Structure formats: C-alpha cells, structure tokens
Amino acid sequence: MLQAARSVQPTVSRQSWPHIFERAWLQPCRESDLKANGFSRRGLLQKLTSGAKARLQEARQAAQLKLCPSQHIGKARLAFFVCFLLLLPHPAHAHVGSKDVFEQVEAGPYRLFVTVRPPMVIPGVATVEVRASGQQPDRIRITPVPMVGEASKHPPTPDATTRSSADPAFFSGSLWLMATGSWKVVLQVDGAAGPATAAVPVPAVALQVLTMERPLGLILGALAVLLVLGIVGIVAAAARESRLQPGTAPNPERNRRAILAGSTTFVVVVLAVWLGGKWWNVEAADYAYGVYKPLALTPTLDGNTLRLQLGTYINALSSRRNRTNADLLPDHGHLMHLYVIREPGMDAVYHLHPAQTAPGQLQTTLPQLPPGRYRLFADIVHRSGLPETLTATLDIPAGFQGAALDSEDAAATPAPLSAGDLPAADTLPDGYTMAWDKPATLAANQPVSFRFTLRNPQEQPATDVTPYLGMAGHAAFVRTDFSTFAHTHPEGSAPMQSMQVANGDALMEGMAADTGKPLPATVEFPYGFPNPGRYRIFVQMKHGSTVETGVFDAEVR
C-alpha cells in the first residue's frame, strides 16, 4: 500500500533509486522516444544519483510527457511508478504553501471578510468563515459550485452557516468539494437590507495522500486477524458439528472434515484479503496520480533577457485534470506576475511582468540585478479560473548588465535578513515612507487585515496615490525559507480573473479604476499566515508615476 511505501522511505539508499527507476519506467522505453522529448537514459539516471533538485523535475516531466508512446504501461507498473514519485517531495499549489483563501467581498450592502480553508484531499470538507462589517446579515447560506462546465448550471442545495453566539457578526460552516478543479463558494446573504449574493473562487486540488495513523492501523490489523480467525472457526465448527445431535461428540472423520474446511477457508480468506490489498494499491495509486503537480517552469538567461518555458500537465487517468500552458488569462493586465527574490537574505526583490512570445513561452528584459541565486515565483491564471504559482531558481552572474526598470515593474533592495527585523516604517528612496500598522502579535491560521499607509516627505498621508495595475496596492507574503509565498490584493488573495469568472462581473468590485482622482493613502490586505515562523512582506503602492515597494518583517507564532 502507499502508506507502507512511504514508511520505508528512510531505509532506501540513494544508490537504489536509479535501479528502481530504470526497471519501473525507463527499461521499456526506446532511446528514440527519450531523445524525442529531450531526455536521455543516462542523463535521467545521473540526475537521480546526483541528489540534485532537478532530478524529480525531470522524472515528473518524463511521466507527464508520456515518454514511451511505443510501449503500453499497464496499471500495475503505473501504480509502482507513482509509489516511487510519492516518496519524493511535491510543491504546493497557488499560492505556495498557503492554500487558504482570504477575500473581502461586497454582497449588496453587506461587507464580508470570507475565509475558505480547502481540504488537503479531494473529495473533502472545506470550512468557511465569514465576518460581517457594517450592515449585519441575519442569515448566510453557502453553496459549492464548479466555476465552469455543465455542473455550474445545476448548483446543489445551499448549506446554512452557524452564527456565533459570542460574536453575532461571525458565521461559520462547512461544505463538500467533491472533485478536482476550479470551484466557487456562493454566499447567499439575507438581512434587513434585503437579499444579496457574492461568490469566492476556491481551487480544489488534492495536495497529499492521507496516511493511516499507526495506532489505528494496529487496531484495524488486530481486528482483521480476529475476523479471519473467526470466519475460519465458524466454518470449521459448522463442518464438524452442524449435523450432530446435541451432546454427541464428533468422530475422527468429522474432525478431519473440519480441519479440511477450516484450512480451505483460511486460504480463501487470505487470498481475498491479498487480492483486496492489490486492488486497493491500484486505486490508491490512481488517486495519488491525481495529486496536484504544478506546471514546470524552466528559466533561461540570454544576456539580460529572461525566457520562461511553461510545461503542461497530462493526467493519463483523467483528462479533465489536464492543464495546458496555452490557456492563460491576463490578470491585472498581464499573463504572468513574476516575483524574483534573492536567496538567502531576501535583500533584493523584483515584481516583473513577462510577455508571451508563443503559447507557453514568455520573456522579459531584466533590470540591473545584483549577482546571486534568485527564487522565482510566477503567478498565472488558467481560463477555468484556476490559479497557479510556478517556482524555479535563477543564477545571475557577476558583471550582469540589466536594462532600465519598466514603468509597471517594481523593485526594492532592503537590508538582508541577517541584519535583523526591519522597522514598521520603511523610508523609501524618494523620501516617502510606507508604514505598517503592525499588530502586537501575529498568530498562524488567524485571518488578519494588514494595513499600510503611504506618507509623503512631510510625514502626511500621501495625496497623490494612484492605482498600481488596477488596484490600490499589491502585497507578497514570503516565509524566509521560501516555503510560503502568497501574492495578494486589497480585496483578497484570489486573482482578479478568478473573481471575475466566479462572479461574472464586467468590472470587479474593488478594482481601482484610474479616474484621475487620487486614492486613499491607506490600503488593507486580508491574509492569514499558514504556519509559524519568520516572514518578509513586500508591499507595492503607486503615487504619481512612481511605484514604491515597502518591505517589512513579521514573526508569526
């Protein structure tokens, strides 16, 4: 079973991976099939033995591209190969390491702060928390609805949320997400101001295979043994005594018949259990094959031009789970929002916007970057409304010559993490200041509205704030070990295009249309840190024609 395969991971030596991979996947492949997809048998095996990070990217890409069209890979071999992949780490979906959705929505006169916590497995139960401000609702009902397709036209019966007795403005509920894909939670609000409706997009993807807890496994194993012995005992007793008169002792012939019947039953039951285990392994492997795997992102540096190649995801068992690199929707006017952050000090950050040159291919001219290794986080949105954050690393050599920063791009060079925590007020290069209304404490899994204010050189709230990419601001919350990345906006963590697909709005509520009038100097971002640890927050706001990036540190308990 998959659980057993995972449990033996520490005992498998690195040198054994090539042998396993060779026999399970590469052996039946023709060298021509490998070369046709840009691979070689020796190269893949060297990746596995080197321990390099790229080894699994290659293995996954090999599986996704169906390297061996000349051979039929049976279900048993597929199950074995998936078990091999499950022994290895998989990155999380968009965002990175931050699956919960935080959104401020306006349902008619009702302003709602909505938190949706999707399950780790699909099907699974998502929890929904709603906090109302301003006009108070009397009742909120929630419905899970697919974003696109025929099923989106036939929503199920709404589920009622429960109002908190201690806090009348807080509602909570739960609902089932039954299939992988882009979903939305429709909120039906009723109150004194009348009924209203709003929707929040939720990506539903399986992120892991749940393992059985060892104590429960031991209990179930013991019960299974008792069940098998009980069945054998019942059959043996029936063969020996079912036709005897009460009080009559069985003769040797009946005892022999009982032994034969019990032995036969034992073999049949054990065989049934063994076949059931085989069936379960295949079913579990089928499910594991559908565990979310982000599209591959391959960066190439040519002078100061960064070229990005997006992969595709092909699920051989379920075509509806396929994802392509040719169906991207523009989000805030761009097909990709790329954050480039220098490791390990986070002392250089850039928010760039590569342009598409061909389906699945984007490029941008890099500004002047200090040399070093950079972590790339690339936000994209598919036509279905499903967002993804793709990750990769990029090495910038010494002597690199970049171009001028584009007017819609942003950059900052804060002090490195090793210098200690940054202050709650960041003095910007042009004399402006960005200040964070920092809470006294920050707790993991607690929704918070993060408030930032842009002040002019006279320390007064700026009066020339203008929309940046259609919003009052953008923020990125990044854990210092890069395990968490979330790109959010004043209305929430869902991309604008996902919100538009969910609500069908011609113009999204919360979009800061550029009317020429200045925006408020204060902006708020709803978000909740998924785990304790140290985080660095990058906030972009715009005044006049200048895009500012404020940088702040947060310690989360």
Side-chain angles (χ1 to χ4, degrees):
M1 294 178 69
L2 291 177
Q3 291 86 344
R6 280 188 165 191
S7 67
V8 301
Q9 179 180 356
T11 67
V12 181
S13 67
R14 179 176 292 171
Q15 286 73 21
S16 66
W17 292 129
H19 180 67
I20 296 171
F21 188 62
E22 167 81 17
R23 293 193 61 185
W25 188 255
L26 293 182
Q27 196 173 60
C29 297
R30 292 199 305 245
E31 191 70 29
S32 60
D33 293 329
L34 294 170
K35 289 181 178 179
N37 287 286
F39 296 95
S40 71
R41 192 184 308 271
R42 177 177 296 180
L44 284 174
L45 294 177
Q46 286 176 347
K47 291 281 187 183
L48 291 169
T49 55
S50 69
K53 245 180 177 182
R55 60 194 174 96
L56 289 183
Q57 297 266 358
E58 300 280 5
R60 292 189 193 115
Q61 190 175 355
Q64 292 164 12
L65 291 176
K66 301 180 181 178
L67 284 182
C68 307
S70 60
Q71 297 289 334
H72 172 71
I73 305 298
K75 230 178 183 183
R77 174 169 284 151
L78 175 61
F80 181 80
F81 179 66
V82 171
C83 289
F84 163 76
L85 284 182
L86 285 176
L87 293 170
L88 305 163
H90 295 286
H93 70 100
H95 307 282
V96 174
S98 184
K99 67 180 180 65
D100 295 345
V101 178
F102 305 92
E103 202 70 30
Q104 291 191 18
V105 299
E106 305 244 350
Y110 309 100
R111 184 168 178 80
L112 310 175
F113 187 153
V114 182
T115 301
V116 183
R117 305 186 190 277
M120 296 294 290
V121 296
I122 301 295
V125 177
T127 59
V128 181
E129 302 166 0
V130 184
R131 178 171 295 282
S133 58
Q135 183 71 44
Q136 291 297 303
D138 297 328
R139 180 178 66 164
I140 298 178
R141 291 174 295 166
I142 52 178
T143 310
V145 182
M147 293 258 272
V148 295
E150 184 63 28
S152 65
K153 304 173 185 176
H154 309 284
T157 302
D159 293 314
T161 59
T162 301
R163 190 173 202 160
S164 171
S165 58
D167 183 357
F170 183 77
F171 298 76
S172 62
S174 61
L175 42 78
W176 279 90
L177 299 179
M178 298 302 297
T180 296
S182 293
W183 289 73
K184 60 182 177 182
V185 174
V186 179
L187 299 104
Q188 296 173 289
V189 187
D190 294 294
T197 302
V200 173
V202 179
V205 292
L207 298 176
Q208 67 179 42
V209 176
L210 292 180
T211 57
M212 183 178 294
E213 296 180 358
R214 184 174 178 81
L216 179 60
L218 292 175
I219 292 173
L220 293 179
L223 291 176
V225 171
L226 289 177
L227 182 61
V228 170
L229 295 178
I231 293 173
V232 172
I234 290 171
V235 172
R240 183 178 59 244
E241 302 174 13
S242 62
R243 297 186 179 182
L244 290 179
Q245 294 296 325
T248 304
N251 57 32
E253 175 62 26
R254 288 192 174 276
N255 286 332
R256 285 193 297 271
R257 187 179 300 172
I259 293 173
L260 178 61
S263 301
T264 302
T265 301
F266 179 78
V267 172
V268 171
V269 172
V270 169
L271 180 62
V273 171
W274 182 79
L275 291 174
K278 288 291 185 180
W279 167 82
W280 175 254
N281 284 348
V282 172
E283 289 299 313
D286 286 354
Y287 178 86
Y289 191 62
V291 170
Y292 174 78
K293 304 170 186 67
L295 300 186
L297 177 67
T298 305
T300 304
L301 188 60
D302 182 9
N304 61 11
T305 299
L306 175 63
R307 293 187 172 88
L308 301 170
Q309 175 66 54
L310 278 60
T312 58
Y313 175 73
I314 304 298
N315 189 306
L317 305 178
S318 176
S319 60
R320 65 184 176 82
R321 295 179 180 174
N322 292 347
R323 280 170 281 128
T324 177
N325 57 20
D327 67 341
L328 306 185
L329 289 177
D331 184 35
H332 301 284
H334 297 280
L335 292 179
M336 176 182 286
H337 291 260
L338 178 68
Y339 275 82
V340 182
I341 306 173
R342 188 160 76 158
E343 301 180 3
M346 290 186 165
D347 53 352
V349 59
Y350 302 86
H351 180 183
L352 310 177
H353 304 93
Q356 183 171 262
T357 56
Q361 298 177 14
L362 297 93
Q363 74 175 42
T364 186
T365 301
L366 293 178
Q368 187 64 43
L369 274 65
R373 170 158 289 189
Y374 288 78
R375 189 68 62 97
L376 307 183
F377 296 96
D379 284 344
I380 59 173
V381 180
H382 294 279
R383 187 175 294 116
S384 65
L386 180 71
E388 288 197 81
T389 298
L390 317 182
T391 63
T393 57
L394 176 69
D395 291 318
I396 298 297
F400 174 80
Q401 295 296 320
L405 193 69
D406 187 87
S407 61
E408 289 198 333
D409 295 342
T413 53
L417 294 168
S418 58
D421 284 348
L422 298 172
D426 187 2
T427 300
L428 305 170
D430 60 355
Y432 276 66
T433 302
M434 192 180 297
W436 176 22
D437 187 7
K438 189 174 183 179
T441 59
L442 291 167
N445 295 307
Q446 183 67 42
V448 178
S449 186
F450 293 82
R451 178 179 297 180
F452 301 88
T453 300
L454 187 64
R455 298 187 182 130
N456 61 26
Q458 290 74 42
E459 287 298 315
Q460 299 299 314
T463 59
D464 58 345
V465 177
T466 57
Y468 174 50
L469 301 177
M471 304 294 285
H474 292 248
F477 297 81
V478 190
R479 202 167 188 262
T480 54
D481 63 356
F482 296 98
S483 62
T484 298
F485 171 88
H487 177 192
T488 70
H489 311 105
E491 294 304 308
S493 59
M496 179 196 69
Q497 284 294 348
S498 297
M499 286 292 291
Q500 193 163 4
V501 173
N503 290 274
D505 296 335
L507 178 65
M508 290 300 306
E509 288 288 340
M511 280 292 292
D514 193 355
T515 61
K517 297 180 180 180
L519 299 176
T522 298
V523 63
E524 296 184 12
F525 300 91
Y527 183 64
F529 294 104
N531 296 297
R534 190 180 181 191
Y535 290 76
R536 183 154 277 191
I537 306 171
F538 306 98
V539 180
Q540 276 109 34
M541 296 179 69
K542 185 177 181 181
H543 67 90
S545 59
T546 303
V547 179
E548 305 279 20
T549 299
V551 186
F552 309 90
D553 288 331
E555 191 67 37
V556 181
R557 298 176 182 177

